[in-house]
Amino acid sequence: MEHYVVKGGNPLSGEIEIGGAKNAALPILAASIMSDKPVTIENVPDVSDIRALIGAIEEIGASVQHPDRHTYVINGENVRRDPVDSESVRKIRGSYYLIGSLLGKHKVAEVALPGGCNIGLRPIDQHIKGFRALGADVRMIPPGHVIAEADELIGSHIYMDVVSVGATINIIMAAVMAKGNTIIENAAKEPHVVDLVNFLNSMGARIRGAGTDVIRIRGVERLHGTEYSIIPDQIEAGTFMFAAAATKGDVTITGVIPKHLECLTAKLIEVGCEVMESDDSVRVVANKRLEHTNVKTLPYPGFPTDMQPQISILLGLSRGTSIVTESIFENRFKYIDELTKMGASARVEGNTAIIEGVSGYTGANIKAPDLRAGAALVTAALAANGYSDIYDIHYIERGYEDFPEKLRALGACIAKVNSAEEERRAVNEFNFRVVG
Ligand code: EPZ
């Protein structure tokens, strides 16, 4: 079965370049079909969630060119009003952005309910509340489709009950060509919300306030074409920063926006790492055992829920007791069971994990329970003594491009294998590398 084989113990060292942000690229690709003109999007990560969304927009008539691995040219002129439903659409969370973009473009959208990582209930009531406030009729119809339709969308004043990235983005897309003005209060402030707004504004939208909790949208009649480059992936960068710390390494992560990484940098410094920032890179150096700390996930600019497993892996190796509180998704500690197989001392009580640091992990056979936890467990395996086999890596491939290759470039012993023979060859090579 396809999995990663890892030999732990090598400190990561060197330089690694970060790709475009998956969670910015998904809404930007969904929004690209709102124009009837060609839209060029660069720095799109080559990961399976993106390929699934591209498949979905092609299925409803978008013309998609893919001149190089990270660039798409999309023309939404012939996008139909058809229901959006296929196996790939149902697998990814990001397909719900097609509700906002199609409703905004055609005033009707029918989309299969979103899938995505099983990290909690993940309701879409705030999306629906926003669409209704703009005048849409929204209902569920068999077989599990959301249908939203309106004769006319009219700007409105919407107060979000919870801070939601997805709902903020979906409401922006639905409102961008509505009549009149829309105000979204208690909006999400994540960098990918800002990126989507910058993208839409480059297509002629009139949106202000992105990055604050009040977003104001003045409806425009149409969106034109544009050329746009996606921001670097804050979570991919953070994953490498914490991998450097967990393996007591020295890694420079390039092509980043250090401002987006500030809360991660602050935590790494707090536990004893050295972090050096330049205009577009961060270098993380850890050459000793780190200290414990407490952390609570919060909407941006707080500590991101998508980095919660990665910091727990690090704290599992730190001196003392750490408490990690998950306040965004209720089911995001499934990886703790896997981590204890590697020798961690951690238990979950409600929405907190209590972690007593141990001096080292040992390799084990483990399963990735979701995307971010899967990547974090790879980090644990890299820091562990001995070999690990990591299964269910399709989760990791949803959001990390060339993850094993990038880690290998930093000196890690990791390979993706699909048979006993491939595993044997990889292990031989690891042994040779260590001896050699
Ligand atoms: C996005 O999910 C990301 N996904 C997630 O990344 C990320 O963890 C999350 O934002 C938080 O930053 C994508 O961008 C595709 P939310 P989303 O709406 O939009 C509640 C990854 O690994 N809520 O901000 O689904 C919800 O239950 C993924 O890349 C409602 O109650 O997250 C949660 O508690 C995993 N009603 C909180 O809000 C709603 O209508 C935040 O969710 C919507 C959300």
Side-chain angles (χ1 to χ4, degrees), residues 225-304:
T226 187
E227 285 179 16
Y228 195 81
S229 182
I230 307 271
I231 52 165
D233 197 313
Q234 169 206 13
I235 305 300
E236 186 195 18
T239 303
F240 281 100
M241 289 167 79
F242 279 70
T247 59
K248 298 200 182 77
D250 178 349
V251 176
T252 302
I253 295 135
T254 64
V256 298
I257 299 174
K259 173 87 190 146
H260 294 169
L261 305 170
E262 263 174 2
C263 66
L264 308 178
T265 301
K267 276 291 163 200
L268 286 171
I269 291 172
E270 199 177 309
V271 296
C273 291
E274 275 183 72
V275 184
M276 287 142 275
E277 284 180 8
S278 76
D279 285 351
D280 64 353
S281 72
V282 285
R283 178 175 168 203
V284 176
V285 184
N287 43 25
K288 56 175 192 259
R289 190 164 179 209
L290 300 171
E291 298 299 325
H292 64 102
T293 188
N294 297 337
V295 62
K296 182 176 183 182
T297 62
L298 287 169
Y300 189 85
F303 194 91

Side-chain angles (χ1 to χ4, degrees), residues 175-187:
V176 83
M177 290 193 277
K179 274 219 169 106
N181 298 336
T182 296
I183 299 175
I184 307 173
E185 306 238 25
N186 200 23

Side-chain angles (χ1 to χ4, degrees), residues 151-173:
D151 294 334
E152 190 173 53
L153 292 168
I154 298 176
S156 182
H157 195 142
I158 302 161
Y159 196 97
M160 313 288 291
D161 301 318
V162 292
V163 179
S164 160
V165 173
T168 302
I169 287 177
N170 242 338
I171 296 167
I172 291 171
M173 290 194 291

